[in-house]
Amino acid sequence: QPQIPRLWVPPITHYKSPPASSSSSLPDIDTERQALHFDFLSGFLGGFLINGSTSDGWTLTMSQQQTVLKSALDFMHSNKQRYFKPMIIGALAHDYNVKILS
């Protein structure tokens, strides 16, 4: 029987303004700041809940959700001995069909 890790955390999603050349009004995900946040949390928890319960998971576009997930996976693979943690991936949307088609 596997043990449940001591604490699962939905990390905060960090944003930055899109580049001036971007036509999007949506903020970009700040992957560098995400990595700093993951680094800090890694010493205190047993796993991550990505695109989880921090309310913005419901409002992220599919592209933003993928960026958050990719930044978490890239971070964990940067130093597997130190950073690798179990992960639960939330598939959040207001429209069920959006997730099915994505």
Side-chain angles (χ1 to χ4, degrees):
Q1 183 97 353
Q3 265 192 331
I4 297 174
R6 63 184 185 268
L7 179 64
W8 288 78
V9 173
I12 296 169
T13 303
H14 295 278
Y15 301 95
K16 62 183 177 181
S17 297
S21 61
S22 174
S23 61
S24 175
S25 61
L26 295 173
D28 286 344
I29 304 299
D30 189 339
T31 55
E32 292 156 6
R33 193 164 178 202
Q34 288 286 126
L36 292 171
H37 185 57
F38 293 144
D39 177 57
F40 177 78
L41 292 174
S42 288
F44 303 102
L45 54 86
F48 288 109
L49 174 57
I50 301 298
N51 293 326
S53 63
T54 56
S55 77
D56 60 352
W58 289 101
T59 61
L60 295 174
T61 65
M62 178 59 66
S63 176
Q64 288 172 318
Q65 287 186 27
Q66 290 170 342
T67 299
V68 171
L69 176 59
K70 185 177 181 326
S71 71
L73 293 172
D74 289 347
F75 172 77
M76 288 183 202
H77 283 94
S78 71
N79 185 338
K80 291 180 186 178
Q81 294 280 17
R82 181 173 177 192
Y83 296 127
F84 192 78
K85 303 283 183 190
M87 183 184 304
I88 295 175
I89 302 167
L92 305 173
H94 293 286
D95 182 353
Y96 177 75
N97 293 318
V98 169
K99 292 299 173 183
I100 297 299
L101 297 172
S102 298

